[in-house]
Amino acid sequence: MATDSALKRATAEAKAAAKPKDKGGFKWIPALITVLVGVVLWFCPMPANLVDFVPTDGAYAKIDPMITAVNCWHLFAIFVATIVGLILKPLPMGAVSIIGITVIMLTKILSTGASSTAYITNALSGFHNTTIWLIVIAFFISRGFIKTGLGNRVAYLFMSKFGKKTLGLSYSLAVTDLILSPAMPSNTARAGGVVYPIVSSLSRVFGSRPDDGTERKIGSYLHVTAFQADMITSGMFMTSMAANPLAVTLAASTAGINIDWVGWAVAAFVPSLICLIVIPFVIYKIFPPEVKQTPEAAQMAKSKLDEMGSVKTSEKLMIGVFLLILILWIAGSSIGLNATVTAFIGLSVLLIVGVLDWNDIKNEKGAWDTLVWFAALVMMATYLNSMGLIPWFSNLMTGVVAGMPWLIAIILLAVVYFLSHYAFASATAHVSAMYAAFLSVAVAAGAPAMLSAMILGIFGNTMGCLTHYGSGPAPVFFGSGYVSQGKWWTIGIVCAVVSMLIFFTIGFGWWKVIGLW
């Protein structure tokens, strides 16, 4: 067993490694590529029949359809450039999104004739989206788990009970992630801020380091398994990953599909839980650790729990508010309480009882950053749909799957959607660019709307398993040096295949039981 000083040193090293390395400085080459993409698309001829899909009623009733079609195409150019910017990151995501909104206002492409300032109001419309505020408030609530130490207590509790074997230790970390996921929408904060420091500390306690040839003792297995588990839990709840509410918003605006918190959880839980059980075992077989027995880990967890002492008042309050929020989210649809209102209630209670203070809210940079880029993407995606581009693309892609049975069509679309994540460094960028279009095509091909929305929504998270750059937590775990890129990608594609098989079998069976098809 390592000494307390060694354990503290290992934990400090882990936390330091988890901190973001990007200082947000301007990067000229990514910026030039981003601008070039936007300019080229802007001046490319728009599809000749795009005008046929432009609405001629509502806000566009008094506008020449050709003008709306041109504006729609120019909005598409800005949207694609914004997505490229989010991938290449010449500036942080929020800054890229602000620039995108600014260009939209300067070009006045969202003018509808309603008033002289309609183009400004429309460009800023994303900021009053209730789903966006749900995820922002959830970020604030998640701060309570970290500030009170409740997240670490949960992890140590499961480790003390089930951490005597390496496989059991991996399941303990997975269950910790699962329990925290409904109220921690940043999977980077959840995995990188709570789980990763524990994983790294455990690895070093067992003498497993990436720089002396001992990484395969236990560290490699724990790092890659904890990461893969986080990709699964991110898709289990609407509030367990930042892009999930974006998918919900796009489903509503694109296909009129309304997904509530309970609906997402019920649809995702069973197949995702099977994945959470199967994936660590699969990795254990194809990438086994050298150390199979870990009684020291359970003892360490017990020591840490003893050090933390009895549950503090702040932790008890956090537990109470967490349960209150879950109950209201579950019962909200039956009592007429919106999920966003529930989130505000939870945050208000945490502020009133002193678990959080206003400085915690001001300093939660991830929440304010999410508010900006989320609002920008929702606004652009919404207007691309209402101005005709998404219906046009849906009509185009429908021809590709025309004549296929809907079951074959949705599986084909889901596989392509999943594997195309190799081209993305952000799940949010991927969902923004492709979710609405693929959902439209699936529905047009005859697939049940809710089933299509859910499988694409869940895959918008699990697809992050593929690479070391495809999601926020990936660089944190991969950057530790315990797993080579080749092995990471190999494990990633194996986990992808296993996950898709589970969803296409057990998942479809479960969705049949609950009436999604």
Side-chain angles (χ1 to χ4, degrees):
M1 183 74 180
T3 64
D4 287 344
S5 60
L7 178 58
K8 290 178 180 178
R9 184 170 61 254
T11 302
E13 291 174 1
K15 289 182 177 179
K19 291 181 179 179
K21 304 297 191 298
D22 186 4
K23 302 300 183 181
F26 186 78
K27 302 172 184 175
W28 281 103
I29 294 179
L32 290 174
I33 295 173
T34 300
V35 172
L36 181 61
V37 168
V39 170
V40 169
L41 277 175
W42 182 284
F43 289 104
C44 277
M46 70 178 186
N49 64 335
L50 177 59
V51 68
D52 297 334
F53 296 87
V54 170
T56 56
D57 55 1
Y60 307 100
K62 297 181 180 181
I63 303 177
D64 185 339
M66 184 57 70
I67 293 176
T68 300
V70 172
N71 286 341
C72 178
W73 184 251
H74 289 166
L75 176 61
F76 175 65
I78 297 172
F79 176 71
V80 172
T82 302
I83 296 297
V84 172
L86 295 181
I87 294 173
L88 299 182
K89 295 182 179 178
L91 286 169
M93 292 177 66
V96 171
S97 301
I98 284 289
I99 294 171
I101 293 174
T102 302
V103 173
I104 288 173
M105 289 192 290
L106 287 174
T107 55
K108 298 184 179 182
I109 57 178
L110 295 185
S111 298
T112 56
S115 70
S116 59
T117 59
Y119 69 94
I120 301 175
T121 303
N122 294 338
L124 298 175
S125 60
F127 288 96
H128 63 70
N129 183 284
T130 58
T131 306
I132 292 175
W133 280 101
L134 168 63
I135 206 70
V136 169
I137 299 302
F139 267 97
F140 298 146
I141 294 172
S142 72
R143 172 56 50 185
F145 281 92
I146 298 173
K147 181 180 180 180
T148 63
L150 182 59
N152 285 337
R153 185 181 293 275
V154 171
Y156 290 133
L157 179 62
F158 281 103
M159 285 166 55
S160 68
K161 300 295 183 182
F162 308 106
K164 294 181 179 180
K165 295 183 178 181
T166 305
L167 186 59
L169 194 58
S170 69
Y171 282 121
S172 298
L173 296 168
V175 172
T176 299
D177 199 305
L178 171 61
I179 290 176
L180 298 177
S181 61
M184 293 190 76
S186 170
N187 55 3
T188 305
R190 190 169 69 246
V194 176
V195 177
Y196 174 80
I198 296 173
V199 170
S200 187
S201 297
L202 280 170
S203 300
R204 294 171 187 273
V205 163
F206 281 93
S208 181
R209 298 173 179 271
D211 51 2
D212 62 3
T214 59
E215 67 275 3
R216 287 297 301 274
K217 272 189 175 182
I218 191 172
S220 298
Y221 173 75
L222 290 181
H223 278 77
V224 74
T225 304
F227 165 72
Q228 291 293 340
D230 185 70
M231 295 298 97
I232 298 168
T233 61
S234 296
M236 295 180 77
F237 304 96
M238 186 194 300
T239 47
S240 56
M241 207 278 278
N244 293 348
L246 175 60
V248 170
T249 300
L250 294 175
S253 62
T254 302
I257 304 167
N258 295 313
I259 309 171
D260 59 20
W261 193 91
V262 176
W264 183 298
V266 170
F269 195 79
V270 170
S272 296
L273 185 62
I274 299 300
C275 287
L276 203 61
I277 294 171
V278 172
I279 292 297
F281 182 76
V282 170
I283 299 174
Y284 189 81
K285 290 298 183 182
I286 66 173
F287 193 55
E290 295 172 3
V291 176
K292 305 294 195 301
Q293 305 294 324
T294 57
E296 295 95 335
Q299 185 58 46
M300 185 199 81
K302 291 177 182 178
S303 298
K304 296 298 291 184
L305 287 172
D306 290 340
E307 183 181 314
M308 294 179 75
S310 58
V311 179
K312 302 187 296 290
T313 300
S314 60
E315 292 178 85
K316 293 178 181 178
L317 291 170
M318 189 66 228
I319 293 171
V321 174
F322 181 47
L323 293 176
L324 171 65
I325 293 170
L326 288 182
I327 291 171
L328 292 179
W329 271 335
I330 292 170
S333 59
S334 61
I335 62 177
L337 188 63
N338 183 273
T340 303
V341 177
T342 292
F344 269 95
I345 291 172
L347 177 60
S348 297
V349 173
L350 291 176
L351 289 169
I352 291 170
V353 300
V355 172
L356 296 175
D357 57 39
W358 189 242
N359 284 327
D360 294 320
I361 305 303
K362 291 190 297 182
N363 294 331
E364 188 58 47
K365 297 179 181 179
W368 299 116
D369 189 51
T370 298
L371 174 64
V372 174
W373 62 252
F374 209 161
L377 293 177
V378 166
M379 174 270 296
M380 294 184 205
T382 298
Y383 278 100
L384 285 175
N385 181 60
S386 66
M387 295 171 76
L389 188 77
I390 298 301
W392 168 81
F393 182 77
S394 174
N395 181 73
L396 179 68
M397 290 299 295
T398 299
V400 176
V401 296
M404 292 184 183
W406 70 261
L407 184 60
I408 301 299
I410 185 59
I411 290 176
L412 176 61
L413 290 168
V415 170
V416 172
Y417 183 73
F418 195 117
L419 296 181
S420 62
H421 196 61
Y422 279 112
F424 289 88
S426 163
T428 302
H430 192 162
V431 171
S432 302
M434 301 181 69
Y435 179 87
F438 271 66
L439 177 59
S440 298
V441 173
V443 173
M450 185 62 77
L451 181 147
S452 302
M454 283 309 310
I455 193 168
L456 293 175
I458 296 168
F459 277 13
N461 296 276
T462 52
M463 63 190 181
C465 73
L466 290 169
T467 68
H468 62 296
Y469 57 79
S471 65
V476 176
F477 285 88
F478 177 77
S480 65
Y482 277 89
V483 185
S484 67
Q485 179 177 322
K487 182 60 68 174
W488 190 280
W489 280 44
T490 300
I491 295 172
I493 190 61
V494 170
C495 291
V497 171
V498 171
S499 296
M500 285 190 279
L501 287 175
I502 289 172
F503 276 96
F504 293 150
T505 53
I506 296 173
F508 273 93
W510 172 242
W511 295 328
K512 181 68 173 179
V513 170
I514 63 176
L516 295 193
W517 63 284

